[in-house]
Amino acid sequence: MNFISLQNVFFSYTDVEEQQNKKYALNGVSLDVKKGEFLAIIGHNGCGKSTIAKHLNAMLLPDSGKVYVDGDDTSDEDKTFDIREKVGLVLQNPDNQLVASIVEEDVAFGPENLGVPPKEIRTRVDNALKAVGMYEYRKHAPHKLSGGQKQRVAIAGILAILPECIVLDEPTAMLDPNGRDEVLSTLLELNHKKNMTVVLITHYMDEAVLADRVVVMDGGNILTQGTPDEVFSQVELLKKHRLDVPQSAELAYRLKGCGVKIDKIPLNNAECIKMLEEVLR
Ligand SMILES: Nc1ncnc2c1ncn2[C@@H]1O[C@H](COP(=O)(O)OP(=O)(O)O)[C@@H](O)[C@H]1O
Ligand SMILES: [Mg+2]
């Protein structure tokens, strides 16, 4: 079932007065997000990923085309509130999202704004902090946490709104490898155990391979999409558009170039080792 549907969406940041050199950030994008799926969106800087993210919760509205969230048109102002409750957006830099001086107050901010009763806020905050593994830090000061911990608190702040879908715009870009692992395992767990729909925008290919489906953006439109296997086996196409592939796929591609027979492009270390064992046999 489609939870979010973008239908031929065009969007430009250019003012209407500057019609002649109008540049579109989104060039007729059609994309569905299914309920419960883990979707990764990858692509170069400036290809329109953040613009898509902001269309998913009505922060931006299409110039033409339609975006539906759970059947509601995002350009229907009466639905904006419902839509933002259903689709939570986490941005790149956690420092810009953490507003309070104590972790639990920060997480309570979203539900407070929604007018949730205090008792229920307490439960929601505790549950959200537990879900991201930050419950023990509830009395701490956010600015003293590590990058990965801050980003997990920011995710908890969104979870406390009880959204059905969480959209994350390069949430690991500012993090070290440990912080990235923390955030990624949190997202995978939310997706697997709580059936939360996750849309992860990332420029790390090793994160994208963990998704159910990968969408590759280029120049304001979708270049290709499919399962990680389907997408990353198109090494040639991705390289033509100067996009990275996972290191194991790169190795397989180069071996193929040397005439080695490779049946399946490996996407992670384990698959890569298997491939090398078969090659050497
Ligand atoms: N606030 C803005 N004002 C004007 N142009 C913008 C703004 N935000 C993004 N753009 C332009 O829109 C295009 C898509 O940007 P964006 O969605 O941020 O890409 P990405 O997230 O993939 O890096 C780029 O050409 C970018 O320069
Ligand atoms: Mg961006």
Side-chain angles (χ1 to χ4, degrees):
M1 191 187 108
N2 286 335
F3 181 56
I4 305 178
S5 179
L6 281 79
Q7 302 179 359
N8 203 23
V9 171
F10 285 83
F11 179 83
S12 174
Y13 289 96
T14 326
D15 288 337
V16 215
E17 299 91 69
E18 307 169 51
Q19 282 296 353
Q20 58 273 37
N21 39 22
K22 202 170 170 100
K23 192 173 163 283
Y24 282 96
L26 299 182
N27 261 305
V29 173
S30 294
L31 171 68
D32 292 325
V33 181
K34 292 182 200 71
K35 195 144 206 158
E37 82 172 328
F38 193 132
L39 180 73
I41 302 180
I42 60 174
H44 286 299
N45 277 342
C47 70
K49 301 181 300 296
S50 295
T51 308
I52 287 199
K54 289 172 185 156
H55 275 78
L56 301 181
N57 78 339
M59 267 178 74
L60 292 176
L61 301 174
D63 291 348
S64 71
K66 288 283 178 196
V67 179
Y68 295 98
V69 173
D70 208 10
D72 291 334
D73 186 336
T74 57
S75 55
D76 180 351
E77 280 177 25
D78 294 339
K79 303 285 184 189
T80 310
F81 199 76
D82 287 355
I83 288 169
R84 301 228 173 114
E85 252 186 306
K86 286 178 187 168
V87 182
L89 182 58
V90 177
L91 301 172
Q92 185 175 95
N93 187 347
D95 290 321
N96 297 340
Q97 301 176 73
L98 304 179
V99 288
S101 54
I102 298 174
V103 164
E104 61 181 7
E105 282 175 11
D106 203 283
V107 177
F109 191 73
E112 268 167 9
N113 275 346
L114 291 175
V116 175
K119 253 198 186 147
E120 194 188 328
I121 292 183
R122 181 75 261 162
T123 320
R124 285 195 190 192
V125 167
D126 290 351
N127 289 343
L129 283 170
K130 283 175 189 161
V132 302
M134 288 298 289
Y135 184 67
E136 293 93 278
Y137 291 84
R138 64 193 177 282
K139 304 282 183 199
H140 286 229
H143 69 269
K144 290 197 179 148
L145 301 174
S146 73
Q149 290 173 326
K150 281 185 196 167
Q151 195 58 288
R152 279 148 70 200
V153 172
I155 293 171
I158 296 294
L159 294 181
I161 297 170
L162 302 183
E164 292 174 50
C165 172
I166 186 165
V167 178
L168 305 101
D169 190 359
E170 304 205 33
T172 59
M174 324 278 274
L175 307 183
D176 61 18
N178 275 338
R180 287 177 49 203
D181 283 348
E182 287 173 18
V183 170
L184 251 290
S185 45
T186 301
L187 295 178
L188 286 167
E189 190 170 310
L190 286 169
N191 178 249
H192 293 159
K193 294 201 179 143
K194 312 226 176 214
N195 201 32
M196 173 140 328
T197 309
V198 177
V199 178
L200 173 68
I201 294 170
T202 181
H203 65 259
Y204 293 108
M205 299 303 142
D206 53 342
E207 294 179 1
V209 301
L210 300 171
D212 298 320
R213 196 155 61 95
V214 180
V215 170
V216 186
M217 297 280 302
D218 193 51
N221 220 328
I222 294 173
L223 177 67
T224 183
Q225 60 176 310
T227 62
D229 272 335
E230 286 163 356
V231 166
F232 291 115
S233 57
Q234 304 175 62
V235 181
E236 208 105 6
L237 174 76
L238 297 174
K239 282 189 164 289
K240 205 176 109 201
H241 290 267
R242 295 172 297 111
L243 283 155
D244 283 337
V245 296
Q247 280 184 323
S248 51
E250 173 78 35
L251 177 63
Y253 175 76
R254 292 197 191 177
L255 286 172
K256 263 185 156 176
C258 302
V260 178
K261 193 176 159 292
I262 309 275
D263 295 326
K264 184 190 169 298
I265 300 279
L267 296 184
N268 54 43
N269 289 349
E271 289 178 13
C272 189
I273 289 167
K274 212 171 129 222
M275 169 192 79
L276 290 174
E277 280 171 356
E278 273 161 26
V279 167
L280 294 170
R281 201 171 287 146

